[in-house]
Amino acid sequence: MSGKVVLIGAGPGEAGLLTVKALEFLRQADVIVYDRLVDPVLLQERKQDCDLIYVGKEPSHHPIPQAEIEQILVNQAKLNKKLVIRLKSGDPYVFGRGGEEGEALYAAGIPFEVVPGVTSAIGGLAYAGIPVTHRDFASSFHVITGHLKEGSDPLDWTSLARLEGTLIFLMGMTQLPSICTNLIQHGRRPDTAAAVVEWASRSRQRTVTGDLTTICGKVAEEKIGAPGLIVVGDVVKLRDKLNFFERAPLFRKHILLPRARAGRSELAAKITALGGEVTLYPGIRIEKLHDPAQMNAIMASLPEYEEILFTSAEAVSLFIEALLDYGKDNRTLSGIRLTAIGKQTKEKLREYGLAADSLIARRSVEIIRQACAGNWQQGTKVLLAGSAKHTAQLAEELGGDAEFAALPLYREALEAERPFDLNRYDIVCFSSSASVDHLLSVLSREEQALLRSKKLLSIGPMTSRTIREKGLDVYREAEAALPDSLIELLLEEAGEVMPT
Ligand code: SAH
């Protein structure tokens, strides 16, 4: 039996503009076939064993022919893959060749469905403060391709120039001069407002405005390039009032956030909410460990433990999953003290209806020892649930009177990444010593030298020490060793004050 293909629109750029339905599919996908304009952050939502196939073209590389992409979709679905996602930028049916892919799937007898997305033609312009219609300025809008199929008729400029509504050109950046000239020659007022938006809805978004006679010069001056949206019409004038995105405090700040662990990053979410573009690098993937004999032995002996120490939120999910697979549930945990390391771990327990008995702020042997000293007597049995590395390390280093058993549930592995360009970032935010080690372990010697020219922000004294040990300079250190304190530094760098 063949699988199913879902054509999904990823939205114009910002990850949050994905639909709820699309996100659900991404989390279930067995294969994701994706394009260049899709933000790789979205791919982090995939499950652990999901295959990724990149079919976008990098500048200076040949694109993968459309027929080949269609063949990949058909083959992947036939390979008995249950769910193949074709992730495209914007909306899959707006110049995305989604229709052709749907036809190819239909011809091959493969079931498919479509999840529409926010098209850049509307949503991207909204992020530049331009509404595509407005009662006072435009009662229709028209989305036009600037890139026609070879051999097809050229655009009907007489009709286009006569339209009263907003004109939006996609894939038109190389044609911009000819678009402006043609519209004027065919009767559109030369002083009609126009704008070009590059990388709409991303933190690198740039917008230039003018009219049909000036826009080309301004685009050339600012070196605005693809991907770009060209918009012609008086709605552009509303941008002065409606330009919410480019006014966000961290807008146009490109921040590199090296990490040492997988899972959600609170800091990254806060930076994005303030309009910044953040890259988590290197990406880290959770690889579930599966040792049925060990798991069964631990599950059978659970009632003997007095305490379970969870070292991460991922450990909680994998532990509960294993408990259910073993045919038990939360009731088995009654009477066992549950300790969470980190706020997110505590929250994850809560999601499963479990209240942590204690919360330990950080995974430091000293802090854990102090926090647990009162509970750990001679012979107290404590189960350490977490990553292979952390459980082994804690079992060895905690010492004292209690007896520790390590339950390694997963290991953290480096993601195979798309090409990474350190030049893009102005600021590197180190949120732990391990994040420093981690980044340096993947950078080439040249990249390590390049790191010296960046503003390196540190979350606290321990992290700063590690940065200096690597021969690098700390640009600024956060006052309190907390994510919010780092955010405060970022806002100060951007010349903003902390929002209250
Ligand atoms: N299906 C997509 C369009 C694909 S065609 C959609 O609905 O948005 C690719 C063209 O879309 C690009 O050449 C560019 O003109 C435009 N585009 C897509 N995303 C963009 C973005 N974030 N910023 C500016 N233009 C974008």
Side-chain angles (χ1 to χ4, degrees):
M1 203 193 69
S2 80
K4 171 167 96 170
V5 178
V6 187
L7 305 180
I8 292 185
E14 201 207 286
L17 296 176
L18 191 77
T19 64
V20 174
K21 186 164 184 181
L23 185 59
E24 273 168 21
F25 270 126
L26 280 181
R27 288 179 174 155
Q28 293 163 17
D30 298 302
V31 189
I32 301 176
V33 182
Y34 67 108
D35 281 339
R36 188 168 85 93
L37 292 180
V38 167
D39 189 336
V41 166
L42 296 177
L43 304 174
Q44 289 174 1
E45 293 290 338
R46 72 190 190 275
K47 53 182 192 183
Q48 184 192 320
D49 53 356
C50 168
D51 290 331
L52 288 183
I53 303 179
Y54 177 59
V55 294
K57 65 172 166 174
E58 293 295 338
S60 84
H61 282 74
H62 288 297
I64 299 182
Q66 181 63 23
E68 204 173 301
I69 297 179
E70 286 160 19
Q71 201 54 53
I72 290 173
L73 295 178
V74 170
N75 290 348
Q76 287 295 325
K78 283 194 173 158
L79 271 174
N80 202 13
K81 297 277 184 174
K82 289 182 279 300
L83 182 61
V84 180
I85 299 296
R86 172 70 175 114
L87 191 60
K88 302 166 85 71
S89 74
D91 180 272
Y93 282 169
V94 178
F95 303 134
R97 305 190 76 169
E100 288 160 67
E101 289 170 16
E103 285 178 293
L105 293 164
Y106 175 78
I110 290 163
F112 79 97
E113 61 180 281
V114 180
V115 180
V118 176
T119 176
S120 63
I122 302 175
L125 292 181
Y127 265 61
I130 303 170
V132 290
T133 69
H134 187 283
R135 265 170 70 109
D136 298 336
F137 299 105
S139 50
S140 67
F141 64 90
H142 312 268
V143 184
I144 304 144
T145 174
H147 180 87
L148 291 170
K149 198 166 149 183
E150 249 165 67
S152 60
D153 287 338
L155 293 172
D156 175 0
W157 290 108
T158 314
S159 306
L160 286 178
R162 211 177 281 149
L163 292 168
E164 292 289 325
T166 308
L167 305 183
I168 301 151
F169 292 87
L170 266 58
M171 297 184 285
M173 290 306 285
T174 53
Q175 302 299 320
L176 181 62
S178 117
I179 290 171
C180 295
T181 317
N182 272 303
L183 286 175
I184 295 171
Q185 277 177 0
H186 290 83
R188 196 91 192 219
R189 279 190 354 256
D191 65 351
T192 309
V196 171
V197 189
E198 183 194 52
W199 283 111
S201 83
R202 298 276 187 97
S203 186
R204 61 169 103 162
Q205 170 177 311
R206 292 194 298 166
T207 309
V208 288
T209 54
D211 62 29
L212 284 177
T213 60
T214 59
I215 193 76
C216 285
K218 292 187 176 181
V219 162
E221 203 173 298
E222 299 285 331
K223 296 195 170 64
I224 301 275
L229 300 160
I230 301 166
V231 52
V232 178
D234 287 336
V235 284
V236 167
K237 294 178 183 158
L238 290 158
R239 179 176 143 75
D240 292 342
K241 293 183 199 153
L242 306 182
N243 182 13
F244 71 97
F245 182 56
E246 292 174 23
R247 290 188 196 123
L250 294 183
F251 176 70
R252 290 200 68 71
K253 293 279 174 276
H254 301 160
I255 295 148
L256 180 64
L257 191 59
R259 316 187 64 198
R261 53 181 296 276
R264 214 182 90 83
S265 161
E266 206 185 319
L267 191 56
K270 286 186 173 168
I271 295 173
T272 311
L274 291 165
E277 182 167 294
V278 55
T279 304
L280 298 167
Y281 184 86
I284 300 167
R285 199 181 48 221
I286 301 258
E287 279 179 2
K288 194 167 141 185
L289 294 175
H290 195 59
D291 180 348
Q294 185 195 25
M295 191 58 85
N296 287 343
I298 297 254
M299 290 297 159
S301 63
L302 263 189
E304 293 169 21
Y305 289 94
E306 281 158 61
E307 175 166 342
I308 306 177
L309 186 79
F310 293 96
T311 68
S312 67
E314 290 73 28
V316 173
S317 308
L318 292 172
F319 179 84
I320 300 291
E321 208 179 284
L323 188 64
L324 291 169
D325 286 349
Y326 186 70
K328 299 277 183 193
D329 61 26
N330 284 359
R331 287 170 293 180
T332 316
L333 306 178
S334 80
I336 303 181
R337 200 168 40 248
L338 303 178
T339 302
I341 299 184
K343 227 168 57 193
Q344 289 183 17
T345 311
K346 182 180 170 185
E347 279 164 19
K348 189 54 84 179
L349 279 168
R350 218 183 141 78
E351 277 176 33
Y352 286 103
L354 295 164
D357 296 287
S358 50
L359 168 67
I360 299 174
R362 273 193 297 128
R363 194 179 23 77
S364 129
V365 171
E366 247 345 279
I367 295 178
I368 299 175
R369 238 189 242 138
Q370 276 171 16
C372 298
N375 292 329
W376 293 351
Q377 325 289 326
Q378 183 76 40
T380 304
K381 288 189 78 174
V382 180
L383 185 63
L384 305 168
S387 74
K389 186 171 150 202
H390 296 150
T391 53
Q393 190 188 9
L394 290 178
E396 192 184 313
E397 293 177 11
L398 279 170
D401 295 334
E403 277 176 36
F404 299 102
L407 176 57
L409 291 160
Y410 63 94
R411 70 181 201 96
E412 295 183 323
L414 284 187
E415 286 267 23
E417 296 272 350
R418 284 208 277 162
F420 168 74
D421 180 7
L422 192 56
N423 285 308
R424 272 185 45 70
Y425 305 93
D426 334 300
I427 297 178
V428 186
C429 263
F430 290 106
S431 56
S432 67
S433 286
S435 72
V436 184
D437 292 332
H438 222 78
L439 180 68
L440 287 162
S441 73
V442 295
L443 293 188
S444 67
R445 199 169 290 192
E446 293 77 42
E447 285 171 326
Q448 295 196 17
L450 187 56
L451 205 52
R452 277 174 218 290
S453 61
K454 309 285 167 192
K455 290 181 176 171
L456 307 186
L457 302 187
S458 156
I459 197 162
M462 271 156 67
T463 305
S464 299
R465 200 175 64 199
T466 313
I467 296 173
R468 292 191 186 105
E469 276 168 12
K470 305 285 179 192
L472 296 163
D473 291 330
V474 176
Y475 178 71
R476 289 186 70 185
E477 181 183 293
E479 253 169 49
L482 292 170
D484 274 347
S485 195
L486 259 183
I487 293 281
E488 220 163 310
L489 274 192
L490 285 171
L491 288 170
E492 279 174 31
E493 273 307 299
E496 297 280 342
V497 285
M498 185 76 170
T500 46

